Amino acid sequence: MSTAGTPRDDPPDDAPTDGPAPWGGLLGGTTRLSLFGEVGLVGVVVAVLSLPVVTAVPALAAGTLHLRRHLSGEAASLGRLLRSVGPALRDLWALALLVPFVLTVAAVNLWLVAGTSLAGGAVIGAVSVAVGLVAVVVTLRTAGTWHPGAGGPGAVLAAAHRARRDVPGSVLLLLAAALCVALVWALEAFALLVGGLLALAAVTVEHRWAERAGTSPAVDR
């Protein structure tokens, strides 16, 4: 663990990376400027890695882990961020496939309901919105605490449990997602920052919940 003002060396590739480490102090050893830079870096990396669509969730999880490392004073480099994507794909492949499918179906349902007079359209629309919102919250909460070696199903179930118990935090994540949509709607170039902003929101909400629950989110060593 490095201290403020001390360079943080990137650990060797053969160093253990699947064990949890203490969360540490939020913003410990960092500044607002460096945090902004890391958020921008994560945003660009997540945007590029998400181009195949099915890699979006693992890319976001790896980016969120990178921010947790940075904020807790752990070594956080671009190389280490990229090396985290492989473990994220292995752990979260099912969620990576399911989330785009669910969001696509929800979007198609809403488009059909808005453009046609389907029987029960109001119910279909409401259910589609609810399912979409749940998918977004659970995905962000999963990314917020993921670390290499965390089993996919267990991580998702734990995220769903936190989403139910921490309703204010879940609402904050939805507001963050809505803000990102509004930013991209206003200027498409903001798409390069969305991944970083969502990762920061997930880290902040999970840190808030951990403080309330008296637990420590995992940061890999």
Side-chain angles (χ1 to χ4, degrees):
M1 179 81 68
S2 62
T3 57
T6 302
R8 295 179 292 184
D9 296 330
D10 193 18
D13 290 343
D14 59 355
T17 59
D18 58 353
W23 174 266
L26 189 65
L27 296 180
T30 190
T31 63
R32 288 186 177 90
L33 182 60
S34 65
L35 176 60
F36 179 79
E38 295 300 322
V39 169
L41 172 65
V42 169
V44 172
V45 170
V46 171
V48 173
L49 294 179
S50 298
L51 289 177
V53 180
V54 293
T55 57
V57 172
L60 179 61
T64 306
L65 174 61
H66 176 83
L67 284 186
R68 295 209 313 273
R69 289 169 177 160
H70 176 76
L71 291 171
S72 63
E74 298 287 340
S77 67
L78 176 59
R80 199 175 185 201
L81 166 58
L82 294 176
R83 291 197 298 272
S84 299
V85 177
L89 282 168
R90 290 193 296 270
D91 289 344
L92 302 175
W93 65 268
L95 190 65
L97 295 175
L98 182 62
V99 169
F101 174 77
V102 169
L103 293 181
T104 299
V105 171
V108 170
N109 285 342
L110 291 175
W111 177 74
L112 291 174
V113 168
T116 61
S117 300
L118 290 177
V123 175
I124 294 174
V127 171
S128 297
V129 169
V131 170
L133 294 180
V134 169
V136 170
V137 170
V138 172
T139 298
L140 291 176
R141 302 210 75 138
T142 301
T145 55
W146 175 83
H147 61 87
V156 173
L157 289 175
H161 178 69
R162 291 194 307 277
R164 181 177 60 83
R165 295 189 60 191
D166 181 27
V167 174
S170 298
V171 171
L172 288 175
L173 289 176
L174 289 176
L175 290 176
L179 175 61
C180 288
V181 171
L183 288 174
V184 175
W185 185 274
L187 183 62
E188 290 83 352
F190 280 126
L192 293 176
L193 292 178
V194 165
L197 294 175
L198 290 177
L200 181 61
V203 170
T204 304
V205 167
E206 291 302 337
H207 179 75
R208 168 184 170 277
W209 170 250
E211 285 191 327
R212 291 182 57 192
T215 59
S216 296
V219 180
D220 81 25
R221 294 185 187 276

